[in-house]
């Protein structure tokens, strides 16, 4: 199993390019299932999850051509309406094929995702939404089997008013995709407002869908007969952006992010400013400088536009070496403090009670062997390793490769002492 070895104590300096967003690329790739024409995507990040999604789509008959960060997906010859367990278990976002398949072909078999390190993560809202649109759904042998009864020889979903009792990002995306080809109007209420939902909506609109309200909590979709090919550039990754900014702040560095977007990072930039960083934004660049030990920052995760759950672990690394104590409340997933035990191995002082962590800043962390448990926990341990005195070895870094493109190369370019042990 691959590991990362980090010699801590080097402030990050310099410029780094931000890749396309994982959480936008994955649903947008699934949109290719909605059309028989080619979807041309650019700024597609080079990540394991993107490769897994491409393989899954290829298994279904989508033809894929990759050229660097360009990806062409042709859904003209889909012959297998199934997402098998061995793929869904490695990547939960695979469930995003369900809505498009049912909408275009009237049928799909998608493995139920199993357990997950950060929480139970059910998909009941995806299922209920499709049922409201007329799909008959049964769970058989661990698979979600969805079928739309034929009427007059056609199997078409019907528009519906769907209320989400919990805000769900992929739930909103799945049902928004399904509704594009349904008969009539679908209204998604209490929909997720995440920028990645908006990026998907923009791509679907470029493909001929009729969608309004994406980015607000009510999205209206008027079904159309078919979607066509389109070209779309994937938005920048706000979590990768935030991760590099926190790493620079924690190490007392000075960095510039290129090809990013500050307008979707408001709460993260605010918290970094509160921690003592100086931030300057110009067009698609963000510059951060930090000259002192960070100040502790309290935070509470919640759906966008509030503080993102995917940035909680990285800010915990920052708080471990901050000047006071911070209270961090996690409201979205029930088990998202897996990194706490590992941070303690580096000398961090953290108490957890339920969904709240109290982090008392210490002047210095010390390098040690630690283990990554999930994607953002891995990013937290990398940041902690960058600030710790001596060597930190992070095991199970395959989690990191799922969501961060070329992370060691990017960090090395910024002056970090980091290498992969194979
Ligand atoms: C997405 C992101 C993930 C991020 C999360 C929250 C992608 C590919 N992943 O995950 O990085 O951490 O949003 O911002 O975009 N829930 C239900 N029933 C459902 C669906 C969700 O109860 O059918 C619950 C979940 O257990 C969780 C909450 O809703 O407590 C929010 O989850 P959701 O927004 O669906 O997360 P994902 O879309 O899986």
């Amino acid at each position: 199993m691959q590991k990362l070895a980090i010699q801590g104590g080097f402030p990050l300096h310099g410029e780094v390019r931000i890749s396309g967003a994982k959480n936008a690329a994955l649903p947008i790739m699934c949109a290719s299932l909605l059309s028989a024409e080619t979807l041309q995507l650019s700024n597609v990040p080079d990540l394991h999850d993107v490769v897994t999604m491409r393989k899954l789509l290829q298994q279904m008959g989508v033809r894929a051509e990759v050229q660097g960060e360009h990806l062409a997906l042709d859904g003209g010859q889909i012959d297998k309406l199934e997402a098998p367990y061995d793929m869904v278990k490695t990547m939960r976002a695979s469930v995003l094929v369900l809505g498009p398949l049912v909408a275009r072909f009237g049928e799909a078999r998608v493995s139920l995702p199993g357990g997950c390190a950060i929480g139970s993560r059910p998909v009941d809202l995806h299922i209920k939404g499709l049922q409201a649109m007329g799909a008959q759904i049964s769970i058989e042998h661990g698979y979600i089997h969805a079928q739309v009864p034929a009427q007059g020889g056609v199997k078409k979903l019907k528009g519906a008013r769907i209320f989400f009792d919990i805000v769900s990002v992929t739930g909103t995306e799945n049902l928004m995709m399904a509704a594009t080809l349904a008969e009539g109007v679908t209204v998604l209420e209490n929909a997720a407002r995440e920028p990645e939902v908006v990026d998907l909506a923009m791509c679907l609109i470029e493909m001929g869908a009729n969608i309004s309200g994406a980015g607000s909590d009510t999205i209206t979709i008027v079904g159309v007969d078919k979607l066509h090919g389109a070209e779309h550039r994937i938005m920048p990754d706000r979590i990768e952006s935030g991760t590099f900014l926190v790493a620079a702040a924690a190490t007392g560095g000075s960095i510039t992010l290129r090809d990013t977007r500050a307008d979707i990072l408001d709460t993260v930039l605010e918290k970094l400013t509160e921690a003592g960083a100086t931030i300057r934004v110009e067009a698609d660049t963000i510059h951060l400088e930090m000259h002192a030990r960070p100040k502790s920052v309290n935070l509470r995760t919640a759906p966008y536009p509030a503080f993102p759950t995917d940035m909680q672990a990285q800010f915990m690394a920052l708080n471990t070496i901050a000047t006071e104590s911070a209270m961090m409340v996690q409201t979205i997933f029930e088990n998202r403090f897996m990194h706490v035990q590992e941070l303690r191995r580096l000398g961090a002082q953290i108490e957890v009670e339920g969904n709240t962590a109290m982090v008392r800043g210490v002047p210095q962390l010390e390098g040690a062997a630690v283990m990554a448990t999930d994607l953002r926990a891995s990013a937290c341990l990398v940041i902690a390793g960058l600030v710790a005195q001596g060597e930190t070895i992070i095991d199970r870094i395959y989690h990191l490769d799922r969501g961060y493109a070329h992370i060691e190369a990017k960090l090395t370019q910024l002056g970090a002492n980091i290498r992969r042990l194979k």
Side-chain angles (χ1 to χ4, degrees):
M1 208 165 291
Q2 295 192 358
K3 299 179 186 183
L4 276 182
I6 303 175
Q7 292 290 336
F10 300 93
L12 298 187
H13 283 293
E15 198 175 285
V16 65
R17 181 182 165 260
I18 295 304
S19 299
K22 168 178 95 67
N23 287 355
L26 298 176
I28 288 172
M29 289 170 75
C30 294
S32 68
L33 295 168
L34 288 164
S35 166
E37 295 178 20
T38 305
L39 182 58
Q40 301 277 358
L41 302 176
S42 55
N43 204 32
V44 178
D46 183 10
L47 301 172
H48 273 194
D49 273 8
V50 166
V51 174
T52 308
M53 184 59 88
R54 175 164 54 77
K55 287 187 179 153
L56 174 62
L57 295 173
Q58 282 174 312
Q59 273 193 13
M60 294 174 180
V62 173
R63 277 177 303 181
E65 253 177 67
V66 189
Q67 254 187 341
E69 294 191 334
H70 289 259
L71 174 62
L73 296 169
D74 175 347
Q77 290 181 17
I78 291 162
D79 53 7
K80 199 165 166 237
L81 309 174
E82 183 173 308
Y85 177 60
D86 60 346
M87 299 201 105
V88 180
K89 76 173 185 212
T90 63
M91 186 181 65
R92 303 180 60 82
S94 311
V95 77
L96 285 163
V97 302
L98 181 62
L101 285 179
V102 179
R104 181 159 157 225
F105 302 101
E107 190 172 351
R109 268 187 99 235
V110 174
S111 168
L112 268 176
C116 176
I118 64 174
S120 63
R121 301 183 82 175
V123 288
D124 56 312
L125 300 171
H126 304 233
I127 293 175
K128 278 187 200 146
L130 288 173
Q131 283 170 329
M133 295 171 84
Q136 288 177 348
I137 298 192
S138 53
I139 307 293
E140 294 164 1
H141 306 289
Y143 277 74
I144 305 165
H145 188 195
Q147 268 184 307
V148 183
Q151 274 189 354
V154 283
K155 296 177 177 179
K156 245 180 174 305
L157 289 171
K158 292 202 169 44
R161 178 183 162 270
I162 296 164
F163 177 79
F164 287 90
D165 53 3
I166 301 175
V167 177
S168 167
V169 178
T170 50
T172 301
E173 292 167 342
N174 228 342
L175 299 182
M176 182 166 71
M177 286 193 278
T180 59
L181 294 179
E183 208 177 278
V185 182
T186 299
V187 181
L188 304 179
E189 290 184 38
N190 200 24
R193 291 181 279 169
E194 267 67 2
E196 293 77 17
V197 173
V198 179
D199 206 32
L200 170 65
M202 280 166 61
C203 177
L204 293 168
I205 291 168
E206 286 153 15
M207 293 170 75
N210 183 341
I211 301 174
S212 54
S216 77
D217 61 5
T218 307
I219 304 179
T220 305
I221 306 113
V222 182
V224 295
D225 276 344
K226 61 178 180 179
L227 297 185
H228 49 71
E231 284 180 24
H232 183 79
R233 184 176 171 80
I234 307 288
M235 65 179 280
D237 197 311
R238 62 193 167 105
I239 307 301
E240 188 196 19
S241 302
T243 302
F244 277 106
L245 292 174
V246 174
T251 58
S254 149
I255 67 165
T256 303
L257 310 184
R258 270 194 298 119
D259 290 354
T260 184
R261 268 177 62 183
D263 62 313
I264 49 177
L265 275 161
D266 282 346
T267 47
V268 169
L269 298 184
E270 248 169 53
K271 288 291 167 190
L272 283 165
T273 307
E274 208 180 306
T278 308
I279 294 172
R280 212 174 54 240
V281 174
E282 272 166 49
D284 60 356
T285 66
I286 302 175
H287 178 75
L288 175 143
E289 270 185 59
M290 183 82 161
H291 296 296
R293 188 173 159 197
K295 291 187 208 120
S296 304
V297 284
N298 296 330
L299 58 87
R300 180 186 180 86
T301 67
Y304 190 85
F307 189 89
T309 174
D310 286 350
M311 283 301 304
Q312 173 262 125
Q314 300 87 319
F315 268 82
M316 189 178 285
L318 186 76
N319 274 330
T320 60
I321 49 144
T323 48
E324 290 160 50
S325 290
M327 187 163 83
M328 305 182 71
V329 185
Q330 174 66 49
T331 69
I332 301 200
F333 296 111
E334 61 272 25
N335 198 15
R336 219 172 182 181
F337 286 137
M338 303 277 282
H339 40 284
V340 167
Q341 291 290 353
E342 305 301 309
L343 287 172
R344 285 190 185 134
R345 293 184 49 74
L346 301 173
Q349 297 210 355
I350 308 167
E351 294 302 324
V352 176
E353 181 127 355
N355 67 345
T356 303
M358 282 298 301
V359 187
R360 189 146 63 83
V362 294
Q364 181 71 60
L365 298 180
E366 281 174 15
V370 290
M371 196 165 73
T373 48
D374 66 71
L375 173 56
R376 306 305 169 186
S378 316
C380 151
L381 295 177
V382 169
I383 295 170
L386 290 172
V387 297
Q389 219 165 37
E391 188 172 66
T392 296
I393 307 271
I394 308 176
D395 200 352
R396 302 207 177 161
I397 50 143
Y398 56 85
H399 292 293
L400 205 58
D401 296 328
R402 290 187 45 199
Y404 289 92
H406 311 290
I407 188 149
E408 319 92 278
K410 289 187 181 187
L411 285 170
T412 303
Q413 184 189 327
L414 294 171
N417 186 336
I418 180 168
R419 68 203 152 90
R420 194 172 284 242
L421 310 174
K422 293 195 176 172

